[in-house]
Amino acid sequence: EDAHELLVHLLDAMHEGELFAAGINPHTSGWRDRLPIPRLDETTFVHRIFGGYFRSQLKCNKCGYKSNTYDPFLDLALEVSKKYLDSLEAALNEFTRKEKLDADNRWKCSGCKKHVCPTKHLSVFRPPLTLCIHLKRFDFGGGGFGKGGWGYGHRNSKGLSMMGNRGSKISKPIQFPAQLRLPLSDGRVCEYVLTGVIVHVGNSATSGHYTAYVKKPGEHSKCWFHMDDSFVEQVSEKTVLRQRDAYVLFYSRAEVKLEFPQPPPREAALKGTK
């Protein structure tokens, strides 16, 4: 079982369980349209802990009109296949890099009413309390999640059936910090502290072994433990940061009480600005 897939299915099941307990069936057609409060499904305890929001922005290069879309996420899935992506900072910069869409992806601007090749920019609009980062070390030949990780109702996006395709592993070391500064859509930076690391030891997605490093709770704690099945040992933070096979990273927000904007209702999220 892939550790990230297990995490996805576990959180998805808990999220859906809370919705069912509230009388909301996410498997019926048009269920979001019947919610009494917009985005009510994004207030479960899973989303309150792990959930954040992306802002996907299209900007017209002719008139400057901007169209924003806001979508929930429960993790960041970062590409690490390119040679220069050898650190978490580099992978995050690649993830949020602006890109100009080509002629095959022309977009009708609501400002100037022309078909243009806009600039697309994906950024974190609202940061989660616990930031889960998935380093995409396994190559399934084009399968898996797209840019941005997973949200709700995406249980089949990756699918356990993919494990039948032997996923070759990108084994290069990816440097990651003990303190992370995550850039946000509004120009601010959200500070995080590393609290957990899942490590994959092996050569492919269908072989190997998973272990975990967990930080002892406490504001100034530097105490870490290595969990390997029933074997547990205390290790230093330096040992954690040297793990060349890090696969899933967990960061906790350094300041919990910071105020961040709420995304607009879905029907208003498509409106643009000059």
Side-chain angles (χ1 to χ4, degrees):
E1 182 72 71
D2 177 77
H4 179 252
E5 275 195 348
L6 178 62
L7 175 64
V8 167
H9 283 259
L10 176 62
L11 295 182
D12 205 9
M14 290 191 294
H15 168 73
E16 286 191 356
E18 186 170 347
L19 292 181
F20 278 118
I24 300 172
N25 185 350
H27 299 299
T28 59
S29 177
W31 64 274
R32 280 196 175 95
D33 297 331
R34 296 190 294 272
L35 292 176
I37 301 173
R39 297 187 183 272
L40 180 63
D41 57 310
E42 296 161 14
T43 62
T44 63
F45 79 94
V46 170
H47 193 275
R48 291 198 300 271
I49 296 172
F50 295 97
Y53 288 91
F54 290 128
R55 186 190 74 183
S56 179
Q57 183 177 92
L58 293 177
K59 181 179 179 181
C60 178
N61 296 321
K62 292 186 179 295
C63 71
Y65 180 88
K66 299 175 183 177
S67 175
N68 296 323
T69 304
Y70 303 87
D71 293 303
F73 70 87
L74 293 176
D75 76 352
L76 298 185
L78 304 182
E79 294 286 350
V80 295
S81 58
K82 297 177 182 178
K83 186 176 181 180
Y84 62 86
L85 299 177
D86 58 359
S87 69
L88 181 58
E89 180 182 8
L92 283 170
N93 288 338
E94 178 73 7
F95 181 80
T96 58
R97 177 176 55 85
K98 294 180 180 180
E99 56 179 321
K100 186 173 181 180
L101 302 185
D102 57 25
D104 292 333
N105 294 285
R106 289 168 67 87
W107 165 70
K108 185 176 181 180
C109 174
S110 296
C112 61
K113 310 300 181 183
K114 297 179 180 179
H115 286 87
V116 298
C117 297
T119 298
K120 184 177 181 180
H121 184 210
L122 184 67
S123 58
V124 175
F125 177 74
R126 183 180 175 89
L129 286 175
T130 297
L131 177 65
C132 176
I133 297 178
H134 170 216
L135 302 177
K136 298 171 71 172
R137 287 189 176 274
F138 299 122
D139 181 9
F140 293 99
F145 292 109
K147 184 175 182 179
W150 68 287
Y152 302 129
H154 294 141
R155 179 171 293 180
N156 296 322
S157 296
K158 189 172 182 180
L160 291 174
S161 62
M162 288 194 62
M163 300 308 292
N165 300 327
R166 290 186 63 86
S168 59
K169 181 179 176 181
I170 301 169
S171 298
K172 66 180 179 181
I174 307 295
Q175 296 180 1
F176 55 94
Q179 286 81 37
L180 174 67
R181 291 170 56 84
L182 181 69
L184 304 179
S185 302
D186 61 5
R188 285 189 290 174
V189 172
C190 185
E191 296 187 355
Y192 284 90
V193 178
L194 183 69
T195 54
V197 180
I198 297 176
V199 173
H200 176 269
V201 181
N203 297 318
S204 73
T206 55
S207 65
H209 180 62
Y210 290 100
T211 69
Y213 291 86
V214 182
K215 187 178 183 181
K216 181 180 179 180
E219 184 178 356
H220 302 292
S221 174
K222 294 289 185 179
C223 182
W224 283 81
F225 294 94
H226 181 210
M227 313 289 189
D228 186 354
D229 292 335
S230 61
F231 177 75
V232 180
E233 65 173 340
Q234 187 172 339
V235 297
S236 67
E237 188 171 80
K238 289 183 179 179
T239 298
V240 177
L241 298 178
R242 286 199 300 262
Q243 296 307 306
R244 61 174 293 124
D245 290 306
Y247 181 45
V248 182
L249 307 173
F250 295 91
Y251 285 89
S252 295
R253 235 165 58 190
E255 179 53 66
V256 175
K257 297 181 180 180
L258 288 178
E259 293 293 329
F260 294 101
Q262 291 286 352
R266 285 188 176 89
E267 59 272 14
L270 297 177
K271 294 181 180 179
T273 59
K274 280 284 188 178

